Amino acid sequence: PQKSNISDANFPVDAEGRTYHLGTKRGEVANRILSVGSEKRALMLAEYLEPVAPGRGLFMLESSRGFLTITGRYTGAPVSIIVTHMGMANADFVVRENRHAAALHAASSCADADADDYSRGAVVEGEMAIVRLGTCGALQPPAHLGSFVVADPGAILIRRNPDAFTPEGEEGGLVPYTFSRPIPSDPALSLALEQEAVRLLGPEGVCRGLNATADSFYSSQGRRTGWFEDRNETLLADLLCCYPEAVTLEMETAMLLDLARCSRGSIRAAAGVIALADRASNHFLAAERTEQLERATGQACLAALARTPLDDDWGPHNGSGP
Ligand code: URA
């Protein structure tokens, strides 16, 4: 067989200990992570970071899969901004591979850390806080076009059920879409995010509510396109019947919250989303307003992360890191 420089098929890392999709290794990723959907947004928010150590630039690395990681400090606290792109699979890469990298970073400060640490996998060493800044569709008040909505109390997951689209599934009356139970966000981190957003945007621009994360921008968010049989005509009404408190629709938050819940207590997670599309009125937010909101809410996310106390080894002023 051809030689591979990947050492572990279970949790692939290269000879340097770089993860397979994000390409980062220990020491390059901070325990406080801001996950954003696009490179443009990440670079814009990186303008608010300072280098980890004086006289050095920000750490920046883009993997072959297009995941960009930028590490610096915000008000003294080490923070990484990471481009997550879209969808649950990408959120899974970002959380799992950074849990790995951050755990290995923590191991690097131990006197007995050695190369074996690279193959330990997602060892729980050092807490992480992850905040997602995304965009969403607004379903109903208090969320409206241009609102910043904190996913508090959390998110549910909407999944398309392929079996329902088979003759047997139809005969058996399988439902085409299923709704999970609510997955909680971290209350303290969510509150910090809401407070920081209110500080920067004022109370009218900020609200909180249950998020619904869908496995498609189209079918499982009730969008109708005609080319596909989606059987989603009543999806949004069904969602609101099941969860009358649901206010936003997007594609990542429930995955982040589920992984945090399953992280054996090592990850705290919260999410806030800018309402880009109003699903009731069918209006879409103008690009200039979106950028203003991205800047303000991005700083709110960074401030919420920076004020979150974590048991991490970077230490705000110890000058370690990339
Ligand atoms: N992102 C989504 O997933 N849905 C929207 O309607 C807008 C942004």
Side-chain angles (χ1 to χ4, degrees):
Q2 224 182 0
K3 246 182 133 185
S4 159
N5 64 351
I6 302 297
S7 60
D8 181 356
N10 178 62
F11 196 103
V13 287
D14 73 8
E16 270 189 89
R18 295 190 177 279
T19 54
Y20 192 56
H21 303 91
L22 272 78
T24 40
K25 63 172 188 166
R26 67 175 170 183
E28 295 176 346
V29 182
N31 292 50
R32 292 175 182 80
I33 291 175
L34 172 55
S35 155
V36 300
S38 78
E39 188 157 321
K40 181 170 171 269
R41 194 175 304 156
L43 292 170
M44 191 163 82
L45 297 180
E47 291 173 21
Y48 302 103
L49 297 186
E50 286 137 31
V52 169
R56 295 165 73 171
L58 296 176
F59 170 82
M60 282 204 197
L61 186 130
E62 182 157 5
S63 74
S64 59
R65 298 286 187 165
F67 290 99
L68 173 67
T69 298
I70 306 173
T71 300
R73 288 182 189 271
Y74 187 80
T75 58
V79 178
S80 292
I81 300 174
I82 302 183
V83 179
T84 305
H85 304 292
M86 284 166 288
M88 289 189 285
N90 283 329
D92 191 59
F93 284 135
V94 168
V95 176
R96 288 183 191 272
E97 294 193 6
N98 280 300
R99 170 68 281 177
H100 184 81
L104 292 170
H105 166 74
S108 76
S109 66
C110 302
D112 60 353
D114 58 28
D116 285 349
D117 290 320
Y118 285 127
S119 56
R120 270 196 207 156
V123 179
V124 177
E125 295 212 44
E127 294 171 305
M128 292 172 72
I130 307 180
V131 170
R132 157 170 158 74
L133 171 62
T135 54
C136 72
L139 281 169
Q140 59 172 348
H144 54 79
L145 204 62
S147 301
F148 181 65
V149 192
V150 178
D152 184 6
I156 65 119
L157 183 55
I158 307 173
R159 272 167 298 193
R160 181 179 167 108
N161 178 9
D163 294 342
F165 294 84
T166 62
E168 301 76 29
E170 274 185 59
E171 229 167 81
L174 290 184
V175 290
Y177 300 92
T178 59
F179 305 139
S180 79
R181 297 201 173 156
I183 307 162
S185 53
D186 184 89
L189 191 53
S190 299
L191 181 63
L193 181 56
E194 189 180 353
Q195 287 171 342
E196 294 297 337
V198 167
R199 184 173 64 77
L200 288 159
L201 281 175
E204 317 75 41
V206 183
C207 60
R208 73 173 89 117
L210 184 69
N211 167 264
T213 296
D215 61 7
S216 164
F217 183 84
Y218 295 101
S219 65
S220 20
Q221 290 191 29
R223 288 190 162 92
R224 318 264 294 280
T225 57
W227 284 102
F228 299 93
E229 188 201 334
D230 287 325
R231 288 203 263 135
N232 62 358
E233 296 77 9
T234 64
L235 176 63
L236 296 188
D238 296 344
L239 172 65
L240 291 176
C241 184
C242 200
Y243 289 110
E245 68 279 32
V247 286
T248 53
L249 260 178
E250 45 82 277
M251 300 179 66
E252 297 82 13
T253 296
M255 175 59 93
L256 167 62
L257 300 185
D258 179 38
L259 289 172
R261 179 169 64 177
C262 297
S263 69
R264 305 186 197 285
S266 74
I267 302 176
R268 301 164 63 175
V273 282
I274 299 166
L276 201 65
D278 190 316
R279 297 303 306 280
S281 70
N282 220 14
H283 290 137
F284 212 82
L285 201 65
E288 312 82 71
R289 183 67 186 136
T290 306
E291 184 172 326
Q292 284 170 352
L293 288 170
E294 284 175 323
R295 285 187 182 277
T297 57
Q299 288 177 81
C301 293
L302 290 167
L305 284 166
R307 69 185 243 197
T308 298
L310 285 184
D311 178 15
D312 81 73
D313 289 345
W314 287 68
H317 305 292
N318 70 4
S320 65

